[in-house]
């Protein structure tokens, strides 16, 4: 063989794009390339990113985790499908286009619906190309031929089919209900699209005088005084004695000419404040329920844009909520109704997209009845058809399903799936249809108009696992649906467990009769090192493409996997990714060393294995077993740690170093034997690492003289009982212990690598045999020039148990004596040890004083206290060792 030259420096930019193109062009991402077609398919659908967005580090984490697990199962030989796609993201996309128009001095109203949608499709196409490029850059091995979009033709058919089917099954209705209204987006939002935040506000106390009485009043408290203009009652508890004599009374509503009744309802908390509650049915969900029970009038005081409407006195009409609040407070003060205000912190709902404060708003909307769907989804989980990783999310899922509310699915937008419902202007008939209609089916009139609203974005994405595989109607069957549905795993962040995951389960069961996936792996969020969510406003966000540009896609993927422990948020900064980069660099350099030393070597058919070879195969075998188990249970960090420790410690630090004995001192036959084994172990190691470091491993694999095809579709290492060799592992572990002791001593004594030590080992029979068999290896790895090995169990121990001029160290079943006096100035060494001991003594005193301080132990974080205790124990052990060195010297 000839030597193979890898570039001196690891430079991912020089090969990542080329490697990805090779994979993509070869069809390696398609399930049809599977080696074992009898194996059940492994199928994942991508959580579709918003088509107008750019990938942030949360996407980087999510897609990295999906890619890792998909690559692992592909290498197992299973037909593996990862379906890519994007979401039309109704509100978000419409906001992007409206902002673009605003910058041009235009509005969507001026443009009209048809032209506006044309503009939106243009923006969608531009952004889609960006997202595709981003996914390719991070190495996502998705099957691009099966890419879908939530508004493509097939998925649009599925959406309409589901809407009509729900209507036919009496699971969909339209009515006037209180909804969450975003005045900025101009649309209703579902409950789970509202983000609640603790916000500074005020509690305003106001007098409501009884009708016709100037001195008698009830004091109420509210955080939203402007809404009193829509009050239709004041409520008190029926058992509250303060108000029992006032039944039948009315109160004059401040700032208006209206009288409102005093009602009695057990919902009111009599112990809270004055025990009286203002009732504003059109602008508070609890008041809405009160109004239904007591048949109260419902007065909506808001326009869709958040200004006050004609239901309020003229002076307040057209004012924003904030301006109306100030005007109302001023008028209450002037009229003698105002009592006081006090600062408070309270939870305020905000739009999840634009962050505008949400207003409860009475509006006619479409709703899905969720309880019947939730009952099926809950039963499916209880039967074990759905498994959550980690298990703690089961409780969240159960709680939400048991307390679910109907889902408002209509949105007052133009971009999205238009609601397939038509109203006849002549007879008033509402028609819900799978096909567009031009005539009223009831009276034949052509005067029919389609509902102008669109469906919630999540109404299309809850169908994603089966609509992407070709489902368009109940009972549908397509080759992909037959082969790949239900899918296997859903990998997603916990922040959309309600928006998406739970709804997908409900839709899958309702329309296909099957849960859409078996495994639900919920990963945590990426945060900065201080635990804060990454955001533009904080300036702590990390762009995955910038990370790829600086460190490489493998470095980003490996770092995120390494840090992704189940149930814990991933805390990172830019420097965190140096770890993944260093590991990829280690893989590169180790492989480069091996490949550059192939000159003149020949591969041997069935090479004989030495002790070190048997040990590395046993370690590789155990690593394959542990990594497989970790991947099967979605323990990414455990898989990454195991891969890291095997390659860096076992393979590089020990085995590659051990082979230098054969490569430097052996004859040609021994060099060929050692090279053959070394290349095979490298081959298996690259396969082991591939899911976590796909680019660098594939680039190196393509250079191997023993490679077969592409690494991406090669077979993942399997555990082989025959390769497990506990005897060799124990033997080599003892050797490692001896070598590590000598290496540590050399470092502590300042003995340079070029100086060879003389050493004596006294060992038990078993250890003596292991050391004698590997004497040359021990000398090479420990930097020993002359090594004597004695059996400590035979004959009398020499009178001088510790040879003069040596430092002794004890291991399990052996002692080693290093003659340091021959390599260093012992007087200078004694002085160094004495100085080290004095430094450690002072350090120990400081640690003991800190740990004796009750206030520190009581108030400091437990992990900090534990860290100080560990430091104390480590330093005490070090002083014991240094004292023993001094005694020996």
């Amino acid at each position: 063989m000839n030597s193979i030259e890898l570039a001196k420096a690891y430079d991912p930019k020089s090969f990542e794009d080329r490697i990805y193109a090779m994979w993509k062009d070869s069809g390696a991402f398609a399930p049809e390339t599977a080696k074992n077609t009898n194996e059940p398919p492994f199928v994942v659908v991508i959580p579709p990113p918003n088509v107008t967005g750019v990938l942030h580090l949360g996407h980087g984490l999510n897609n990295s985790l999906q890619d890792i697990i998909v690559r692992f199962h592909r290498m197992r030989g299973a037909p593996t499908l990862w379906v890519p796609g994007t979401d039309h993201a109704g509100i978000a996309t419409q906001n992007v286009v409206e902002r673009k128009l605003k910058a041009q001095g235009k509005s969507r109203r001026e443009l009209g619906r048809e032209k506006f949608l044309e503009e939106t499709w243009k923006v969608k196409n531009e952004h889609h190309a960006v997202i595709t490029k981003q996914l390719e850059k991070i190495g996502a091995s998705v099957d691009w031929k099966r890419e879908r979009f939530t508004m493509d033709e097939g998925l649009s058919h599925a959406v309409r089919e589901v809407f009509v089917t729900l209507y036919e099954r009496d699971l969909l209705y339209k009515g006037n209900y209180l909804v969450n209204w975003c005045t900025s987006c101009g649309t209703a939002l579902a409950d789970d699209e509202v983000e609640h935040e603790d916000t500074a506000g005020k509690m305003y106390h106001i007098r409501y005088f009884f009708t016709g009485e100037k001195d008698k009043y009830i004091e109420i408290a509210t955080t939203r005084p402007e809404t009193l203009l829509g009050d239709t009652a004041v409520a008190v508890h029926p058992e509250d004695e303060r108000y029992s004599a006032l039944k039948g009374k009315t109160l004059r509503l401040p700032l208006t000419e209206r009288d409102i009744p005093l009602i009695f309802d057990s919902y009111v908390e009599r112990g809270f404040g004055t025990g009286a509650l203002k009732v504003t049915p059109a602008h508070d969900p609890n008041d809405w329920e009160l109004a239904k029970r007591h048949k109260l009038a419902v007065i909506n005081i808001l326009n869709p844009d958040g200004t006050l409407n004609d239901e309020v006195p003229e002076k307040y009409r057209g004012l924003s909520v904030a301006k109306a609040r100030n005007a109302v407070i001023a008028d209450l003060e002037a009229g003698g109704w105002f009592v006081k205000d006090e600062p408070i912190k309270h939870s305020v709902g905000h739009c999840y997209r634009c962050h505008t404060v949400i207003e409860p708003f009475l509006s006619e909307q479409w709703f899905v009845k969720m309880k019947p769907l939730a009952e099926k989804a809950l039963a499916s989980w209880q039967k074990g058809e759905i498994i959550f990783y980690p298990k703690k999310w089961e409780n969240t899922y159960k709680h939400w399903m048991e307390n679910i509310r109907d889902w408002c699915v209509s949105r007052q937008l133009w971009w999205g799936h238009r609601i397939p419902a038509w109203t006849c202007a002549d007879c008033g008939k509402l028609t819900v249809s799978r096909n567009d209609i031009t005539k009223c089916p009831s009276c034949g009139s052509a005067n029919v108009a389609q509902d102008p609203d669109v469906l919630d974005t999540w109404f299309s994405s809850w169908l994603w696992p089966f609509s992407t595989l070709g489902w368009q109607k109940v009972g549908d069957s397509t080759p992909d649906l037959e082969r790949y549905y239900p899918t296997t795993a859903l990998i997603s962040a916990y922040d959309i467990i309600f928006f998406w995951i739970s709804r997908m389960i409900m839709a899958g069961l309702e329309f296909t009769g099957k849960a859409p996936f078996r495994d639900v792996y919920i990963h945590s969020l990426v945060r900065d090192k201080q635990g804060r969510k990454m955001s533009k406003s904080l300036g702590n966000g990390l762009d995955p493409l910038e990370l790829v540009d600086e460190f490489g896609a493998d470095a980003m993927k490996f770092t995120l996997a390494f840090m992704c422990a189940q149930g814990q948020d991933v805390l990172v900064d830019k420097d965190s990714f140096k770890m993944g980069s260093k590991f990829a660099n280690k893989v590169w350099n180790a492989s480069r060393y091996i490949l550059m030393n192939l000159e003149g070597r020949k591969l041997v058919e069935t090479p004989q294995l030495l002790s070190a070879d048997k040990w590395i195969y046993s370690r590789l075998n155990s690593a394959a077993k542990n990594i497989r188990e970790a991947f099967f249970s979605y323990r990414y960090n455990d898989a990454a740690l195991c891969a890291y420790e095997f390659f860096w410690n076992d393979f590089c630090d020990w085995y590659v170093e051990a082979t230098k004995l054969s490569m430097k001192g052996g004859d040609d036959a021994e060099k060929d034997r050692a090279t053959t084994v070394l290349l095979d172990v490298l081959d298996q190691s690259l396969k082991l690492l591939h899911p976590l470091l796909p680019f660098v491993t594939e680039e190196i694999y393509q250079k191997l003289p023993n490679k077969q095809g592409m690494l991406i579709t090669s077979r993942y290492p399997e555990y082989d009982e025959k390769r497990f060799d506990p005897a060799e592992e124990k033997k080599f572990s003892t050797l490692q212990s001896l070598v590590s002791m000598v290496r540590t001593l050399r470092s502590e004594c300042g003995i340079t690598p070029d100086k060879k030590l003389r050493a004596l080992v006294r060992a038990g029979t078993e250890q003596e045999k292991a050391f004698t068999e590997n004497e040359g290896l021990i000398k090479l790895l420990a930097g020993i020039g002359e090594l004597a090995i004695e059996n400590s169990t035979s004959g009398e121990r020499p009178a001088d148990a510790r040879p003069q001029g040596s430092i002794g160290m004890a291991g399990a079943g052996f002692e080693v004596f290093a003659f340091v006096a021959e390599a260093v100035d012992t007087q200078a060494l004694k002085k160094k040890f004495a100085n080290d001991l004095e430094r450690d003594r002072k350090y120990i005193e400081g640690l003991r004083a800190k740990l004796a301080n009750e206030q520190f132990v009581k108030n400091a974080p437990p992990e900090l206290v534990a860290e100080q205790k560990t430091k104390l124990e480590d330093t005490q052990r070090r002083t014991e060792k240094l004292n023993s060195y001094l005694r020996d010297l």
Side-chain angles (χ1 to χ4, degrees):
M1 287 185 291
N2 296 321
S3 64
I4 297 168
E5 191 68 34
L6 284 183
K8 190 172 183 180
Y10 165 64
D11 177 18
K13 288 181 185 176
S14 68
F15 58 81
E16 286 188 346
D17 288 349
R18 171 170 47 80
I19 291 293
Y20 192 89
M22 179 183 77
W23 290 331
K24 188 177 178 182
D25 294 345
S26 70
F29 301 154
E32 290 81 6
T33 61
K35 297 283 173 64
N36 185 1
T37 53
N38 294 321
E39 182 83 17
F42 183 86
V43 186
V44 176
V45 291
I46 199 170
N50 290 351
V51 74
T52 54
V54 291
L55 299 186
H56 52 66
L57 197 53
H59 292 114
L61 171 64
N62 180 255
N63 287 297
S64 291
L65 298 180
Q66 290 179 86
D67 190 55
I68 289 166
I69 211 72
V70 161
R71 286 178 184 275
F72 166 67
H73 285 283
R74 185 184 289 122
M75 291 181 75
R76 282 199 314 109
T80 303
L81 172 61
W82 184 11
V83 180
T86 45
D87 195 299
H88 68 277
I91 295 175
T93 304
Q94 182 152 320
N95 281 345
V96 167
V97 180
E98 289 202 58
R99 283 197 300 271
K100 185 179 176 183
L101 290 174
K102 190 176 181 181
Q104 298 168 0
K106 302 175 186 175
S107 73
R108 69 175 167 115
R109 298 287 176 193
E110 292 168 4
L111 214 59
R113 187 166 192 147
E114 191 176 328
K115 289 286 185 186
F116 177 80
L117 291 177
E118 285 177 12
E119 287 300 310
T120 311
W121 275 104
K122 287 179 190 174
V123 170
K124 176 263 172 189
N125 292 331
E126 290 166 10
H127 283 261
H128 172 263
V130 173
I131 287 176
T132 299
K133 190 66 181 171
Q134 289 173 324
L135 286 171
E136 290 182 346
K137 270 288 182 187
I138 65 174
S141 59
V142 295
D143 186 352
W144 289 110
K145 291 179 181 175
R146 287 179 167 91
E147 184 185 8
R148 305 304 298 266
F149 174 55
T150 51
M151 280 179 64
D152 69 25
E153 187 178 352
L155 271 69
S156 295
H157 278 301
V159 167
R160 183 171 284 202
E161 173 68 22
V162 164
F163 186 91
V164 176
T165 303
L166 287 171
Y167 187 77
E168 291 169 346
R169 293 178 181 178
D170 196 28
L171 292 170
L172 186 76
Y173 63 92
K174 189 179 187 184
N176 280 304
Y177 287 89
L178 209 59
V179 296
N180 305 299
W181 188 264
C182 175
T183 56
S184 175
C185 296
T187 185
L189 300 178
D191 290 340
D192 40 27
E193 292 174 314
V194 179
E195 295 180 344
H196 292 273
E197 295 177 8
D198 284 341
T199 306
K202 288 183 178 179
M203 183 69 78
Y204 300 91
H205 294 257
I206 305 167
R207 300 182 184 97
Y208 280 42
F209 288 92
F210 284 97
T211 304
E213 301 193 38
K214 294 182 179 178
D215 300 323
K216 287 187 178 179
Y217 61 85
I218 288 179
E219 183 180 315
I220 62 93
T222 179
T223 59
R224 301 160 70 215
E226 71 285 354
T227 63
L228 71 80
L229 300 172
D231 285 2
T232 56
V234 170
V236 295
H237 196 281
E239 295 173 9
D240 193 329
E241 295 178 358
R242 292 172 292 180
Y243 305 109
S244 57
L246 300 174
K247 286 186 179 177
K249 291 275 189 181
T250 61
L251 301 105
R252 174 55 59 97
L253 185 64
L255 307 179
T256 73
E257 296 299 316
R258 285 195 291 118
D259 291 334
I260 57 176
L262 180 69
I263 64 171
F264 294 79
D265 195 289
S266 56
Y267 164 75
V268 181
E269 293 182 48
R270 50 188 152 169
F272 182 76
T274 61
L277 177 77
K278 68 186 281 297
V279 181
T280 321
H283 300 287
D284 184 280
N286 296 313
D287 294 1
W288 169 260
E289 297 301 326
L290 270 172
K292 286 199 288 187
R293 287 197 293 275
H294 293 271
K295 296 183 172 57
L296 299 175
V298 178
I299 301 173
N300 177 18
I301 65 167
L302 289 179
N303 292 311
D305 64 359
T307 58
L308 272 62
N309 63 21
D310 291 347
E311 293 289 347
V312 303
E314 190 171 352
K315 70 172 295 186
Y316 306 115
R317 294 171 191 172
L319 295 180
S320 67
V321 168
K323 288 180 179 177
R325 180 172 300 176
N326 292 334
V328 164
I329 291 167
D331 291 344
L332 289 172
E333 287 176 330
W337 291 286
F338 189 82
V339 180
K340 63 178 180 179
D341 61 41
E342 50 196 5
I344 62 162
K345 271 223 164 190
H346 61 139
S347 181
V348 176
H350 294 76
C351 174
Y352 80 114
R353 277 294 167 202
C354 68
H355 214 62
T356 301
V357 172
I358 291 300
E359 296 291 343
F361 185 75
L362 184 65
S363 176
E364 189 176 44
Q365 303 288 343
W366 287 91
F367 293 84
V368 175
K369 293 179 185 176
M370 298 300 278
K371 194 172 181 184
L373 303 179
E375 286 170 352
K376 292 179 184 178
L378 199 55
S380 180
W381 163 69
Q382 288 165 338
K383 287 187 284 188
E385 294 171 355
I386 302 158
I387 303 166
F388 281 88
Y389 299 86
K391 285 183 72 68
K392 71 171 186 175
W393 292 108
E394 293 178 350
N395 295 327
T396 306
Y397 176 80
K398 180 174 181 285
H399 179 266
W400 193 67
M401 288 299 187
E402 289 176 342
N403 296 277
I404 201 163
R405 292 171 60 178
D406 287 356
W407 174 19
C408 175
V409 295
S410 45
R411 296 289 180 271
Q412 288 63 52
L413 305 169
W414 287 353
W415 174 246
H417 297 98
R418 192 148 174 199
I419 291 173
W422 289 260
T423 303
C424 177
D426 293 333
C427 72
K429 168 92 173 171
L430 174 70
T431 303
V432 173
S433 173
R434 288 175 174 82
N435 303 307
D436 289 356
I437 65 169
T438 54
K439 287 186 178 181
C440 174
S442 181
C443 71
S445 168
N447 195 9
V448 291
Q450 187 174 357
D451 193 315
D453 293 349
V454 301
L455 287 161
D456 179 7
T457 295
W458 301 102
F459 195 90
S460 51
S461 52
W462 77 324
L463 315 178
W464 191 247
F466 52 93
S467 64
T468 53
L469 296 173
W471 186 96
Q472 290 187 26
K473 63 180 184 293
V474 176
D476 235 355
S477 177
T478 68
D480 274 5
L481 206 57
E482 286 288 318
R483 181 76 170 124
Y484 304 118
Y485 186 83
T487 67
T488 314
L490 191 280
I491 297 167
S492 179
Y494 66 71
D495 55 348
I496 55 172
I497 189 169
F498 308 129
F499 286 115
W500 192 47
I501 299 170
S502 300
R503 288 178 183 156
M504 280 192 291
I505 295 169
M506 289 186 268
L509 290 163
E510 183 67 24
F511 299 107
T512 72
K514 299 172 185 176
F517 29 72
R518 181 195 67 216
D519 298 344
V520 181
Y521 172 68
I522 307 289
H523 62 78
S524 300
L525 301 183
V526 183
R527 299 183 183 274
D528 68 13
K529 285 286 190 178
Q530 296 170 340
R532 300 175 302 176
K533 196 170 181 178
M534 291 187 173
S535 68
K536 287 181 183 176
S537 59
L538 289 174
N540 62 351
L542 293 172
D543 181 345
L545 291 194
E546 287 182 10
L547 295 174
V548 169
D549 185 62
E550 185 168 346
F551 302 107
D554 287 339
M556 185 185 78
K557 184 169 293 175
F558 186 83
T559 301
L560 291 172
F562 192 88
M563 302 182 80
C564 188
Q566 285 190 8
Q568 297 176 27
D569 282 338
V570 179
L571 307 183
V572 293
D573 59 16
K574 200 170 188 179
D575 284 348
S576 303
F577 296 91
K578 290 178 180 176
M579 186 274 290
S581 180
K582 285 177 182 175
F583 186 45
N585 194 60
K586 182 73 171 179
V587 175
W588 183 266
N589 287 336
S591 303
R592 180 174 182 272
Y593 164 77
I594 293 167
L595 295 177
M596 69 190 293
N597 284 290
L598 298 181
E599 190 66 41
R601 301 278 60 85
K602 298 175 185 173
L603 292 178
V604 178
E605 196 68 37
T606 51
Q608 184 184 352
L609 301 183
L610 303 184
S611 179
D613 304 325
K614 294 174 185 175
W615 171 78
I616 195 63
Y617 276 126
S618 186
R619 298 297 296 156
L620 174 67
N621 201 35
S622 296
K625 180 174 184 281
N626 293 334
I627 293 173
R628 276 174 166 266
E629 288 172 355
F631 279 147
F632 277 121
S633 54
Y634 304 96
R635 291 181 289 109
Y636 290 93
N637 62 316
D638 290 342
L641 178 61
C642 185
Y644 182 94
E645 289 184 338
F646 167 76
F647 193 86
W648 197 301
N649 299 337
D650 293 340
F651 183 64
C652 294
D653 288 355
W654 291 99
Y655 183 68
V656 174
E657 290 300 307
T659 61
K660 291 177 181 176
L661 189 66
S662 296
M663 301 308 290
K664 289 179 179 178
D667 57 19
D668 281 344
E670 173 54 20
K671 288 177 181 177
D672 289 344
R673 185 209 65 79
T675 298
T676 303
V677 177
L678 183 56
L679 280 172
D680 184 59
V681 177
L682 176 61
D683 173 289
Q684 294 297 308
S685 299
L686 293 173
K687 290 171 180 172
L688 198 73
L689 298 177
H690 179 76
L692 296 155
L693 295 163
F695 284 110
V696 69
T697 52
E698 184 74 81
E699 174 70 358
I700 295 165
Y701 185 77
Q702 291 305 314
K703 310 283 188 185
L704 297 188
N706 52 329
K707 65 112 175 177
Q708 294 179 335
M710 291 187 297
L711 188 58
I712 188 174
T713 50
S714 64
R715 194 73 178 183
Y716 199 78
E718 295 185 43
Y719 178 74
D720 182 354
E721 192 69 43
K722 295 173 186 173
R723 274 192 168 176
F724 178 53
D725 197 334
E728 283 297 343
E729 289 210 30
K730 183 181 178 184
K731 186 194 298 184
F732 204 83
S733 176
T734 306
L735 181 150
Q736 286 176 304
S737 178
L738 169 61
V739 170
S740 297
M741 283 179 180
V742 177
R743 283 176 172 176
T744 303
L745 181 65
R746 291 178 68 99
S747 174
E748 290 169 334
C749 296
I751 301 171
T752 56
D754 59 304
K755 286 189 179 177
K756 299 296 180 185
L757 274 174
R758 183 164 67 90
L760 165 66
V761 174
R762 292 185 182 138
T765 303
E766 185 182 343
Q767 290 79 11
E768 182 205 16
K769 185 170 182 269
F771 294 152
T772 303
E773 287 176 2
N774 293 284
E775 181 181 342
L777 188 55
I778 294 168
K779 290 165 73 174
L780 172 73
L781 297 176
I784 295 172
E786 185 181 331
L787 177 62
I789 302 170
E790 297 177 355
N791 190 316
S792 60
T793 60
S794 62
E796 290 295 319
R797 196 181 187 92
D800 181 14
R802 180 186 60 79
Q804 185 69 28
S806 71
I807 288 179
M809 297 162 286
F814 69 89
E815 290 177 297
V816 58
F817 301 94
F819 293 87
V820 295
E822 298 173 2
V824 294
D825 180 342
T826 54
Q827 293 306 313
L829 189 56
K830 286 178 187 178
K831 188 177 179 180
K832 176 185 179 298
F833 287 160
N835 289 337
D836 290 347
L837 281 167
E838 179 58 23
R839 181 199 62 210
D840 287 350
R841 182 187 65 77
K842 290 177 181 177
Y843 188 54
I844 287 169
E845 283 179 4
L847 288 171
R848 282 177 173 161
K850 188 181 281 188
L851 291 168
N853 184 333
E854 289 184 13
Q855 288 299 108
F856 171 74
V857 175
K858 182 180 176 183
N859 298 323
E863 57 270 22
L864 180 58
V865 176
E867 182 186 323
Q868 299 302 304
K869 287 180 178 177
T870 301
K871 285 180 179 178
L872 177 60
E873 291 166 2
D874 290 345
T875 311
Q876 286 173 329
R877 276 195 293 269
R878 176 178 155 79
T879 59
E880 288 172 11
K881 184 165 66 169
L882 289 176
N883 276 316
S884 76
Y885 289 174
L886 276 172
R887 283 194 301 271
D888 285 356
L889 288 170

